[in-house]
Amino acid sequence: MSQQVWTSVDDYFNGLLVEEDDALLAAGSDSAAAGLPEHQVAPNQGKLLHLLARIQGARTVLEIGTLGGYSTIWLARALPPDGHLVTLEADEAYAAVAAANLARAGLERTVDIRVGEALDSLPRLAEEGAGPFDLVFIDADKPSNPAYLDWALRLTRPGSVIVGDNVVRDGAVTDPSSTDPRVQGVRRFTELIAEHPRLTATTIQTVGSKGYDGFTLAVVTD
C-alpha cells in the first residue's frame, strides 16, 4: 500500500462522513498562508476528536498545543452551550492565527487561548482551580509528553479521557536506542501510562492523508 492509496481512502470516507464547513476550511487555509507548520490533524481525525468529546459528554476540554486552532474548532463544537475549552499555545504568532480562526467560527467565548509555554501555563491553571477537565488532548512537543501527562492527571477526574497524538512516529517508537527526543518522550509517556494505577489505555496505529502515525487513548479510573 502507498501514501496515494491512504490519501484516496481518506478522501472517499471524508467526502461521505466528514463535514468541513467554511470556518474549518478557512482555518486550514489561513494557517497555511500564515506559514504555520502542517501539523494540524486531518479532517477525519478532527471529527474523531469531536465524536470522542460528544461520547464523553464533555463540558470542559483542555488542549495542549493549539497551532492554528483547527482541532480546537472540532473539539469546541462538541461542547454544550455552557461548555468551555482551554487551549495552550507556546507561539504567540500561532495563537494569533488561532484566535482569528476561532472568532470566524463563533467560538471566541467558548475557547480560552493561553499563550506561553504549556509547562508554565499548566501550574497557573491548577492555581486558578481550573478543571477537572472531562477531556485532555495532548498534541504539542513530544519531549514534554511525560510532564504533560502528569499535569493532565492533576487536572482531570475519574472518567476523564486523555488523548495523546502522534505517538507512533513512523514506527520509530519501537526503537529503545533512538536518539530522537520526540521518540524518547513518547516512549516514556507510554511507559508512564502503562505503570499508572489510575489509567487504562490503548494505542491505535493510523495511516491516511497525514502518513503513518497513531494516537493513545486513556481513561482515568477511580
Side-chain angles (χ1 to χ4, degrees):
M1 291 296 175
S2 67
Q3 180 63 57
Q4 182 179 359
V5 173
W6 298 343
T7 300
S8 295
V9 171
D10 266 5
D11 289 344
Y12 168 74
F13 284 110
N14 288 346
L16 291 171
L17 303 175
V18 180
E19 311 83 16
E20 276 192 297
D21 64 4
D22 290 343
L24 284 165
L25 291 169
S29 60
D30 284 8
S31 295
L36 274 61
E38 296 182 2
H39 294 163
Q40 70 185 30
V41 300
N44 53 347
Q45 295 165 344
K47 183 68 176 285
L48 175 62
L49 291 171
H50 177 89
L51 291 174
L52 286 172
R54 289 183 62 179
I55 292 166
Q56 166 69 351
R59 304 179 72 85
T60 55
V61 171
L62 172 63
E63 179 183 52
I64 304 175
T66 315
L67 197 61
Y70 182 83
S71 57
T72 320
I73 293 172
W74 277 112
L75 285 164
R77 285 178 167 175
L79 300 179
D82 61 344
H84 187 63
L85 186 153
V86 177
T87 185
L88 311 180
E89 175 53 54
D91 191 296
E92 189 172 348
Y94 296 0
V97 173
N101 288 333
L102 290 161
R104 182 192 295 113
L107 295 167
E108 65 269 32
R109 294 186 178 181
T110 303
V111 178
D112 176 13
I113 303 175
R114 302 289 183 99
V115 182
E117 296 293 333
L119 292 179
D120 295 327
S121 298
L122 288 162
R124 285 196 287 269
L125 284 174
E127 291 170 2
E128 294 168 11
F133 291 96
D134 301 317
L135 186 149
V136 178
F137 179 44
I138 302 173
D139 190 18
D141 61 304
K142 306 312 169 196
S144 297
N145 265 16
Y148 295 152
L149 177 64
D150 179 60
W151 279 106
L153 285 163
R154 298 189 202 191
L155 293 167
T156 50
R157 58 168 177 78
S160 292
V161 171
I162 300 172
V163 181
D165 202 12
N166 307 126
V167 298
V168 172
R169 315 303 305 173
D170 286 319
V173 70
T174 62
D175 181 6
S177 63
S178 173
T179 58
D180 187 334
R182 297 168 298 181
V183 171
Q184 291 300 332
V186 168
R187 286 178 62 87
R188 186 58 185 149
F189 172 76
T190 308
E191 291 161 1
L192 289 169
I193 291 173
E195 297 164 0
H196 204 287
R198 294 181 55 237
L199 288 172
T200 183
T202 191
T203 293
I204 302 297
Q205 299 182 78
T206 60
V207 295
S209 61
K210 302 292 285 188
Y212 171 40
D213 213 320
F215 65 92
T216 294
L217 178 66
V219 174
V220 181
T221 61
D222 292 334

